[in-house]
Amino acid sequence: MKPLLFLTALVGLAACDSGVETRQDVVPPAERPAPAATATPFAPAGPAATLQPETREGLQDAAAVVRLDELAGQGPLAAKLFGTAGGDPAMNGLYTYIAFFENPSEGWRVFRIGDVLDYRILSQRAGRVDLELDESILDDVSGDIGGRTRRVIVSWPIAADGSPPAEVTVTPAQ
């Protein structure tokens, strides 16, 4: 039941990003421009509303989503990459997933790609996305944490009826 609530919360989170549907280029967070500062602060225009913390189950999981990228050009298939914060941030910590929308009652079919520091979408087309992954690696002998960058091809079959894939493959790439 918890995965269904998590995925429902993700759908809600995705709906809050009004720019996702119109985004042409995927811009990594580090390269996104900072929002423009307002020259003059707003003045109140009515009474303030006091909010209480949300207590619905699944919102903690949804709040852990720190990255969301819609995949374009997938025909009738709705697909996205997303990352949740977790684990030790000194040793990766961006749990990276690809998800495909099934239907309103089932939500999203989710596949875990890996635990990385960050990912970059290098190219995408129907049934495929090429990613560059930055990862922490631990030297077992010295105990030092180093880093590496690797590339992978994430691919899946595109069904004519738009149904989500039963499996996804991740292939090392040059």
Side-chain angles (χ1 to χ4, degrees), residues 5 63 66 114:
L5 289 172
V66 295

Side-chain angles (χ1 to χ4, degrees), residues 70-160:
E70 180 182 14
L71 297 177
Q74 301 303 315
L77 186 61
K80 62 184 168 184
L81 287 169
F82 70 96
T84 61
D88 180 357
M91 200 56 197
N92 299 314
L94 181 65
Y95 299 133
T96 304
Y97 303 88
I98 188 166
F100 304 92
F101 188 70
E102 290 190 66
N103 58 54
S105 65
E106 297 296 321
W108 294 83
R109 185 171 296 169
V110 181
F111 300 87
R112 184 171 173 176
I113 295 172
D115 179 11
V116 300
L117 285 172
D118 198 10
Y119 67 83
R120 280 174 296 290
I121 298 172
L122 300 180
S123 69
Q124 60 181 300
R125 63 176 187 252
R128 176 177 168 157
V129 61
D130 296 346
L131 299 177
E132 188 171 76
L133 306 173
D134 291 328
E135 301 175 297
S136 298
I137 54 172
L138 180 64
D139 183 319
D140 292 330
V141 175
S142 69
D144 293 337
I145 296 174
R148 73 175 173 195
T149 299
R150 65 184 178 104
R151 292 179 173 191
V152 297
I153 301 164
V154 181
S155 58
W156 58 93
I158 297 286

